[in-house]
Amino acid sequence: MSEETRSEVYAELAAVGPYGVHPGHALITMVEPHPGHEYAYNRWYEDDHYYAGAMAMPWMYAGRRWVATRDLQLLRYPEKSAVAQPVTTGCYITTYWVTDGRYDDHMKWTVGINKRLNRDGRVYQDRTHVFTAFQDHEATVYRDGAAGPRDFHALDHPYAGLVVEVIDAEGPEQRGELLEWLRARHLPKLLVGSPSAMVTIFRPTPLPGDRMSYVKQVEGVDTRLTLLWFLEADPRECWEEYFSGLDEPVAEGGWGRVELVAPFIPTMPGTDRYVDRLR
């Protein structure tokens, strides 16, 4: 007996609503597998959840998974972080793009599918969500102008590294000023000659009330910005020169406080590479 799929509705849904390629929204999820569960978690996420809990869902059209081995974790700062306690927590992060204008549609599906996955025993419980949030795209700043990949290519282009920066402004108005400073003045200057091809800037959105209980409500909805730096070099090769002091100009200018600067490298899908280097 075949399962009911209501296939007749799909043609109707495809005929309405936005369907551009711009990443209007992102899911950014940083997770810590519990000690002793690193291999099992890695296989569950890559073999099942990355697809069934994310990429197979409507309007989530690109994804990339990244890892911080112990040496990369030890480069993180500040030591006292509002994002991760201790700041080394969260050795995996996955980034997904969601089509602009399709956040509400995607959220309806993702809440429904995750309830189903939980019911069917397909959610790995021995993990902690350190920094998980859907986020709205605010700006992308490019190093090379119109040349090179666009932000909608970023999760498919073979970038060698990712640096995640989280900044908290004092309030909503100050966040707007921080965003303008970053977009128009600060980032264009930093990107010149750097190994980073682009920086995407997002602001977090609150999770729905019927979210899964193991994912905490998003903090800093009115005050926080998340920056993703896409690197053409291994972050270890350029950390000291380009990334070790990102917090200083933010503090000196009174723009807010940098709560996390964390480097990652891409995982090798389908393998357990780097799992033995997390601790």
Side-chain angles (χ1 to χ4, degrees):
M1 188 174 96
S2 62
E3 290 189 54
E4 181 190 3
T5 62
R6 303 188 192 179
S7 296
E8 68 281 356
V9 183
Y10 281 75
E12 297 176 26
L13 295 176
V16 296
Y19 66 120
V21 300
H22 180 67
H25 321 275
L27 170 59
I28 302 170
T29 173
M30 187 166 75
V31 171
E32 179 76 7
H34 296 170
H37 292 265
E38 294 86 357
Y39 282 93
Y41 167 77
N42 191 52
R43 291 275 43 86
W44 164 77
Y45 198 93
E46 288 197 345
D47 295 346
D48 190 11
H49 198 63
Y50 177 84
Y51 301 104
M55 293 301 295
M57 290 195 275
W59 309 115
M60 183 171 270
Y61 68 89
R64 191 82 180 271
R65 191 164 181 245
W66 315 80
V67 61
T69 51
R70 187 60 181 171
D71 58 333
L72 289 167
Q73 296 167 30
L74 294 173
L75 294 175
R76 295 180 183 181
Y77 62 92
E79 185 179 352
K80 293 185 177 179
S81 165
V83 174
Q85 301 90 30
V87 72
T88 51
T89 308
C91 53
Y92 284 108
I93 196 166
T94 313
T95 48
Y96 300 99
W97 290 166
V98 177
T99 302
D100 193 16
R102 289 294 192 170
Y103 175 77
D104 290 340
D105 297 334
H106 176 78
M107 288 306 296
K108 286 184 175 66
W109 191 287
T110 193
V111 169
I113 200 69
N114 277 286
K115 286 181 177 178
R116 183 181 182 186
L117 290 169
N118 267 278
R119 187 175 65 243
D120 293 347
R122 286 173 62 182
V123 172
Y124 198 85
Q125 301 295 343
D126 289 295
R127 57 174 175 150
T128 298
H129 280 268
V130 179
F131 179 65
T132 292
F134 281 89
Q135 312 219 12
D136 287 343
H137 180 257
E138 287 285 6
T140 299
V141 182
Y142 296 101
R143 180 191 61 200
D144 304 323
R150 303 290 86 193
D151 52 13
F152 46 84
H153 300 127
L155 304 185
D156 294 308
H157 187 79
Y159 285 114
L162 175 76
V163 173
V164 179
E165 180 182 7
V166 179
I167 309 176
D168 283 344
E170 291 294 326
E173 185 177 330
Q174 290 87 345
R175 182 173 69 177
E177 295 168 353
L178 167 65
L179 173 64
E180 184 58 22
W181 174 72
L182 289 168
R183 185 191 63 78
R185 294 164 51 193
H186 185 57
L187 294 178
K189 181 175 63 178
L190 287 187
L191 286 174
V192 174
S194 84
S196 181
M198 73 177 83
V199 182
T200 59
I201 309 174
F202 292 89
R203 60 177 173 84
T205 59
L207 288 168
D210 53 356
R211 69 189 185 279
M212 297 300 100
S213 59
Y214 50 79
V215 182
K216 64 182 180 181
Q217 187 52 274
V218 177
E219 300 170 348
V221 168
D222 297 322
T223 57
R224 180 165 286 178
L225 291 176
T226 305
L227 284 65
L228 303 179
W229 300 70
F230 290 93
L231 277 57
E232 295 173 331
D234 187 306
R236 287 166 286 215
E237 298 171 4
C238 52
W239 188 256
E240 204 59 41
E241 183 176 359
Y242 290 102
F243 295 103
S244 62
L246 289 181
D247 54 340
E248 293 168 10
V250 175
E252 290 168 2
W255 299 107
R257 173 178 161 80
V258 171
E259 293 291 356
L260 182 69
V261 180
F264 295 85
I265 55 175
T267 60
M268 183 66 69
T271 76
D272 287 321
R273 186 177 294 186
Y274 307 121
V275 176
D276 60 347
R277 294 166 56 189
L278 302 178
R279 306 302 180 194

